[in-house]
Amino acid sequence: MVVQNLDCIPIVYVYLGNNLPNYAKKNLVASCKRFPNRKIVLISDKEKNLNFAKKIGIEFFRIKKTVFNEEFKNVMHHPYQFRNGFWYHTISRFYAIYKYLEKKQISTCLHVELDVVIFPNFPFSNFALLGNCLAYTKVSENESSGAIFYVGSS
């Protein structure tokens, strides 16, 4: 894996499913405007989302959903029907990020959920202090969120 300069860490968004909803499109466009010098990536299992990615000038990475469908259904211990497949969809997004990093041979990225807005003063430089780790949003003493998820590795 290639170790990246902090300024080169891509912002990665993942959308698995149908067409991108309007809120996701608006957030991607806004991210392009807020961070014109940073690589922004959309990972999706739908080729039809490629046209939107091209239109706004971001990288598109297609993942085949069938690759992880059976793998995760067979190893998941959480009820599949919980909140319409919440755990399955969550794990699928992390797997998609993993496949992107593997394919591109990069070791670091910042995953941001499509319903989360980050602003120009987002503290990207603070991630340099973290080193090799996974970092995520802590909601409370016993709860965390993958709304913003940093992968730092070498």
Side-chain angles (χ1 to χ4, degrees):
M1 296 271 178
V2 177
V3 178
Q4 295 172 272
N5 175 319
L6 190 65
D7 293 331
C8 299
I9 295 173
I11 302 171
V12 175
Y13 296 93
V14 179
Y15 190 78
L16 304 174
N18 294 318
N19 287 331
L20 284 167
N22 285 335
Y23 75 85
K25 290 179 178 180
K26 289 178 181 179
N27 196 13
L28 287 166
V29 169
S31 292
C32 290
K33 290 178 183 174
R34 287 187 193 108
F35 307 105
N37 298 319
R38 188 169 294 274
K39 180 189 281 192
I40 297 175
V41 181
L42 173 62
I43 301 173
S44 178
D45 60 335
K46 299 296 182 198
E47 191 70 31
K48 56 186 160 186
N49 291 326
L50 170 64
N51 289 337
F52 180 76
K54 281 183 179 179
K55 179 180 172 183
I56 64 170
I58 64 173
E59 182 178 334
F60 180 82
F61 182 78
R62 183 167 184 261
I63 177 130
K64 293 181 181 180
K65 193 168 186 178
T66 56
V67 170
F68 49 81
N69 266 350
E70 295 308 315
E71 289 180 36
F72 285 121
K73 283 183 184 176
N74 293 332
V75 299
M76 281 186 57
H77 300 290
H78 300 295
Y80 182 75
Q81 296 306 321
F82 175 74
R83 288 179 49 196
N84 296 319
F86 172 81
W87 290 115
Y88 170 74
H89 295 296
T90 298
I91 292 169
S92 297
R93 283 194 299 273
F94 288 134
Y95 186 75
I97 294 166
Y98 163 75
K99 295 307 278 183
Y100 168 75
L101 294 171
E102 179 183 62
K103 178 73 174 179
K104 298 296 182 172
Q105 296 186 343
I106 58 176
S107 57
T108 305
C109 76
L110 181 72
H111 167 256
V112 179
E113 292 284 337
L114 280 160
D115 60 352
V116 173
V117 176
I118 58 175
F119 291 95
N121 64 344
F122 186 81
F124 288 103
S125 59
N126 289 355
F127 292 104
L129 306 172
L130 298 176
N132 295 340
C133 73
L134 298 176
Y136 42 86
T137 310
K138 188 129 177 160
V139 178
S140 71
E141 187 60 34
N142 298 316
E143 296 178 311
S144 298
S145 167
I148 296 176
F149 184 80
Y150 171 76
V151 177
S153 182
S154 58

